[in-house]
Amino acid sequence: MSYPVADRPLWVPDCDRVAAANMTAFARSAEGRWGRALPDYPALHAWSVNEPAEFWASIWELGEVRGEMGSVVLENGHLMPGARWFPEARLNFAENLLRSRDDSDAMVFWGEDRVKNRLSHGDLYRQVAHFAAALREMGVEPGDRVAAWMPNLPETIVVMLAAASIGAIFSSASPDFGVQGVLDRFGQIEPKVLVAVDGYYYNDKIVDCMERLAAITDGLPSVKRVVVVPYVHAHHDISHVHHARMLADFVKPFLAETEIPFARLPFDHPLYIMYSSGTTGVPKCIVHGAGGVLLQHIKEHRLHGDVKPGDKVFYFTTCGWMMWNWLVSGLASGATLLLYDGSPMIGDGAILFDYAQAEGMTHFGTSAKFIDGIAKAGLRPRATHDLSALRAMFSTGSPLVPEGFEYVYREIKADLCLSSISGGTDIVSCFVLGSPTLPVWPGEIQCKGLGMAVDVFDEAGRPVRGEKGELVCTRPFPVMPVGFWNDTDGARYRAAYFARFDNIWCHGDYSEITVHDGIVIYGRSDATLNPGGVRIGTAEIYRQVERLDEVVESLVIGQQWPPGAAADVRVVLFVKLREGLSLDDALIARIRDTIRASTTPRHVPARVVQVADIPRTKSGKIVELAVRAVVHGEPVKNVEALANPAALDHFRARPELQS
């Protein structure tokens, strides 16, 4: 069952918007430089994947990358993995983000409604210089790991840039991770330095981190120095934390440092270690190279996001989600970063729109779940806030359904480019995303990313259109991971992405390419339902259920039924209802009728069960696989990856699922 094709797009850029877009200027420049005819987006995309050396060299030039590009763009371009990008290049990631040293805002920070501050480009450069000098003094070298257990503070960006300036590898986790969740991540990579916060604000409450920090430090014998960043406490006792110093004391000997000796390193020198969500086992440690991240993010920000110097770019994210890394790269495009830490729903739930109005936000990034949530709450920012500066809205984390698109244009702003985007930690960027020069159709991601040879394959590995299948990428791209940590022969890396189709990246998203050449994501392939041998994307059911006013959120799985070797799969739907409501036969019937009316009889759940909460990862993604494991009596190997692990208890041994 696919989304019905809409009669008209929700938004079409006018001629002035198209003419002013960075995408348009880039296409005209490429036509002149390479002698290509690039009259529209399909032609531009075809050139970007068919002539990768020309395209990625053009992105280097578009970004005015500081470094040496070399004469070779791509080696072994037919191999995946195995291709090498810019093998002669030398660059430094931090040098390309610290381009300015003036007094304009590099970043603005809100910690809920309790803390507000600003950091100029000059101040940012100086703070990075101080921290980098302190790291060098204690012996941090290229390839060493610097880990941050931090909120989305300006100091976290300072630490990352300082590490990158040396060539050390940065890795981060949000402070709402528990002790074991942090050790499952940082314990694998053995950091030399750990930077941590004293506490943080969430939902107008202070959450203290110091006791957990002591336990984390005890579990990381590789750590030679713990740097504690003050945020919520005026005074600190750090005597119980081994190797700990306060941030001010750590950098004090180096306050005279005014220059950063950037280490220019190979294109694929490791920049970040990031982590799979890890709900089905210890997280995979994914290593990303500096050059690939830089070029991919320049492309996505400047072309797909139409970010211009001086724009105010916001994404609601924690430091445990790849969107933090994506946001930070906006400095390379001259943007001011708008940082926020805490609950997005404090007070009347409008604080992010307060922020947008106060700072003249031009790009608003959030999750599909946030858009669903404020729609359910009845927020109408278009009527309550001045969003005149806002040009683009980004949504990711899960599929944004057509009703979510319609809500944005009806209640947030009618004239903006709403870009549903999709990629992942695996590539710290996007396979499919938006374009300021294309129409927005309800429920559809606008386009394939430039330079990304995205397709959808059926079970036999054949490209399909207007049918569901596996999202794949058929040619190499610069931001493919350098590898996995401690995977010396690359076996785990190949198994993760290349086991399904030889020499083809299979991403694990159940998808469809539409008649508009847009993309619909129906959910993760490993969570796809399969009743009677028919594949159903979970998003197809969520879209229908969450239209009902009584339902706050839902989660669907396939339960093996009846138990035994010959079991089929039946669809089981769990619903979280509005406070005070109880699931009864009448509501169950409405839920089933709503699903049946807009999908097929196979989509209709065999069981509908009320639960008090829906488990999710730290980045807000619901965890169908973990719930499926609990329902089947199997262990969930890493509950520390969940924001609300206690929610899993609502799914254990439910009597409704025993018959």
Side-chain angles (χ1 to χ4, degrees):
M1 179 67 190
S2 302
Y3 293 154
V5 177
D7 294 333
R8 64 178 72 89
L10 291 168
W11 178 80
V12 178
D14 61 29
C15 294
D16 290 343
R17 180 79 68 101
V18 172
N22 292 339
M23 185 82 77
T24 302
F26 177 76
R28 298 294 82 80
S29 174
E31 285 183 325
R33 167 87 188 275
W34 304 105
R36 307 291 181 181
L38 306 173
D40 53 24
Y41 190 83
L44 182 62
H45 183 265
W47 166 70
S48 74
V49 297
N50 293 330
E51 303 294 342
E54 294 179 2
F55 173 73
W56 289 107
S58 297
I59 296 298
W60 183 295
E61 293 164 1
L62 170 74
E64 300 176 294
V65 173
R66 297 183 177 182
E68 299 83 44
M69 182 169 70
S71 60
V72 179
V73 174
L74 178 60
E75 289 181 346
N76 301 324
H78 60 290
L79 294 178
M80 215 176 8
R84 289 194 64 209
W85 293 92
F86 298 93
E88 301 170 353
R90 309 286 289 190
L91 57 84
N92 185 276
F93 184 81
E95 183 180 7
N96 281 279
L97 271 63
L98 293 169
R99 296 166 181 265
S100 172
R101 298 169 68 168
D102 64 22
D103 292 332
S104 64
D105 287 336
M107 56 190 79
V108 179
F109 172 73
W110 283 24
E112 296 197 339
D113 56 358
R114 303 175 64 143
V115 179
K116 296 179 182 179
N117 57 49
R118 321 176 85 81
L119 198 66
S120 73
H121 288 282
D123 288 338
L124 175 60
Y125 189 99
R126 285 186 286 274
Q127 290 188 23
V128 173
H130 303 157
F131 202 93
L135 292 177
R136 290 194 301 272
E137 175 68 18
M138 63 166 295
V140 172
E141 299 176 342
D144 286 341
R145 277 76 64 205
V146 174
W149 187 52
M150 289 283 291
N152 185 18
L153 301 177
E155 289 87 347
T156 314
I157 297 176
V158 169
V159 174
M160 182 278 288
L161 291 171
S165 74
I166 297 168
I169 309 171
F170 178 81
S171 191
S172 60
S174 172
D176 56 2
F177 277 92
V179 173
Q180 192 57 50
V182 177
L183 295 179
D184 284 346
R185 288 159 174 76
F186 295 165
Q188 296 185 69
I189 68 170
E190 299 178 303
K192 181 178 284 189
V193 178
L194 174 65
V195 183
V197 76
D198 61 353
Y200 60 94
Y201 301 104
Y202 195 84
N203 205 20
D204 208 28
K205 296 181 176 63
I206 292 177
V207 181
D208 188 85
C209 290
M210 296 305 295
E211 291 304 318
R212 283 183 292 150
L213 177 59
I216 289 166
T217 304
D218 289 345
L220 293 174
S222 65
V223 169
K224 308 303 181 189
R225 173 65 66 210
V226 177
V227 181
V228 179
V229 176
Y231 178 37
V232 300
H233 296 305
H235 304 286
H236 302 81
D237 177 11
I238 59 174
S239 60
H240 62 301
V241 181
H242 296 310
H243 314 299
R245 296 189 72 183
M246 295 303 300
L247 173 62
D249 296 327
F250 183 64
V251 301
K252 185 175 181 180
F254 308 99
L255 297 182
E257 296 285 343
T258 58
E259 300 297 325
I260 304 170
F262 297 105
R264 289 191 174 178
L265 298 159
F267 185 83
D268 58 359
H269 181 81
L271 169 69
Y272 294 134
I273 296 175
M274 304 180 70
Y275 306 94
S276 63
S277 59
T279 56
T280 55
V282 176
K284 297 188 294 289
C285 303
I286 304 169
V287 184
H288 286 294
V293 171
L294 180 64
L295 289 191
Q296 181 80 341
H297 289 178
I298 286 172
K299 178 202 74 176
E300 292 187 345
H301 290 155
R302 296 196 184 192
L303 300 183
H304 291 280
D306 202 36
V307 172
K308 302 175 188 295
D311 278 349
K312 310 290 185 65
V313 179
F314 167 81
Y315 220 105
F316 178 75
T317 181
T318 71
C319 296
W321 191 20
M322 58 142 286
M323 294 313 300
W324 180 85
N325 308 74
W326 189 89
L327 172 64
V328 170
S329 294
L331 291 170
S333 293
T336 297
L337 307 184
L338 303 184
L339 311 179
Y340 179 88
D341 194 77
S343 169
M345 299 301 290
I346 63 167
D348 59 3
I351 190 167
L352 299 187
F353 296 100
D354 297 341
Y355 197 0
Q357 175 175 294
E359 294 297 335
M361 187 184 294
T362 58
H363 295 70
F364 188 124
T366 186
S367 67
K369 287 298 178 185
F370 175 80
I371 293 173
D372 292 342
I374 61 173
K376 287 277 186 182
L379 265 64
R380 302 184 64 234
R382 184 178 180 180
T384 57
H385 290 75
D386 177 5
L387 303 177
S388 55
L390 191 64
R391 302 199 316 270
M393 193 164 190
F394 306 130
S395 170
T396 193
S398 59
L400 182 64
V401 299
E403 290 77 10
F405 279 77
E406 291 160 0
Y407 167 79
V408 167
Y409 283 106
R410 184 178 67 251
E411 303 295 358
I412 296 181
K413 193 176 185 185
D415 183 21
L416 56 71
C417 184
L418 172 58
S419 297
S420 181
I421 64 179
S422 182
T425 303
D426 318 77
I427 63 168
V428 67
S429 60
C430 305
F431 279 118
V432 292
L433 66 174
S435 169
T437 64
L438 295 175
V440 174
W441 294 85
E444 297 186 20
I445 298 172
Q446 284 172 283
C447 60
K448 306 166 188 174
L450 292 174
M452 311 295 276
V454 173
D455 213 329
V456 171
F457 279 9
D458 66 13
E459 296 290 325
R462 296 171 302 213
V464 293
R465 296 292 180 271
E467 299 178 23
K468 297 171 192 166
E470 295 290 341
L471 184 76
V472 300
C473 195
T474 60
R475 299 185 187 184
F477 48 94
V479 79
M480 290 171 63
V482 173
F484 290 172
W485 194 254
N486 291 330
D487 181 30
T488 53
D489 63 357
R492 293 171 61 214
Y493 178 33
R494 290 190 298 273
Y497 309 114
F498 303 102
R500 181 72 180 275
F501 305 114
D502 184 45
N503 207 41
I504 300 289
W505 178 294
C506 185
H507 194 54
D509 279 339
Y510 193 46
S511 309
E512 178 184 342
I513 297 176
T514 73
V515 295
H516 310 118
D517 211 29
I519 299 91
V520 176
I521 308 289
Y522 292 99
R524 291 294 295 170
S525 298
D526 53 11
T528 297
L529 311 173
N530 200 23
V534 177
R535 295 187 78 188
I536 295 173
T538 54
E540 300 174 65
I541 294 177
Y542 296 142
R543 180 198 179 192
Q544 306 306 326
V545 176
E546 293 176 17
R547 292 165 64 182
L548 297 173
D549 186 62
E550 295 92 338
V551 178
V552 173
E553 197 170 18
S554 61
L555 183 147
V556 65
I557 66 165
Q559 181 191 18
Q560 299 295 317
W561 194 263
D568 192 0
V569 172
R570 68 177 181 181
V571 177
V572 176
L573 176 68
F574 299 96
V575 292
K576 177 182 177 181
L577 302 181
R578 287 188 180 276
E579 188 173 352
L581 297 183
S582 297
L583 187 68
D584 56 21
D585 290 343
L587 182 53
I588 291 173
R590 283 187 62 220
I591 290 170
R592 286 174 167 159
D593 289 345
T594 299
I595 295 171
R596 183 182 290 106
S598 299
T599 57
T600 75
R602 290 190 182 275
H603 290 70
V604 178
R607 294 288 183 271
V608 182
V609 181
Q610 183 176 359
V611 289
D613 199 9
I614 301 287
R616 67 193 69 252
T617 65
K618 307 288 185 179
S619 58
K621 298 178 183 178
I622 61 175
V623 287
E624 292 116 332
L625 295 185
V627 168
R628 190 168 71 189
V630 167
V631 166
H632 289 97
E634 300 164 358
V636 178
K637 298 178 182 178
N638 188 12
V639 295
E640 287 279 353
L642 300 181
N644 54 342
L648 286 175
D649 293 337
H650 301 305
F651 300 83
R652 301 184 194 279
R654 296 295 301 239
E656 302 97 323
L657 304 184
Q658 308 309 310
S659 61

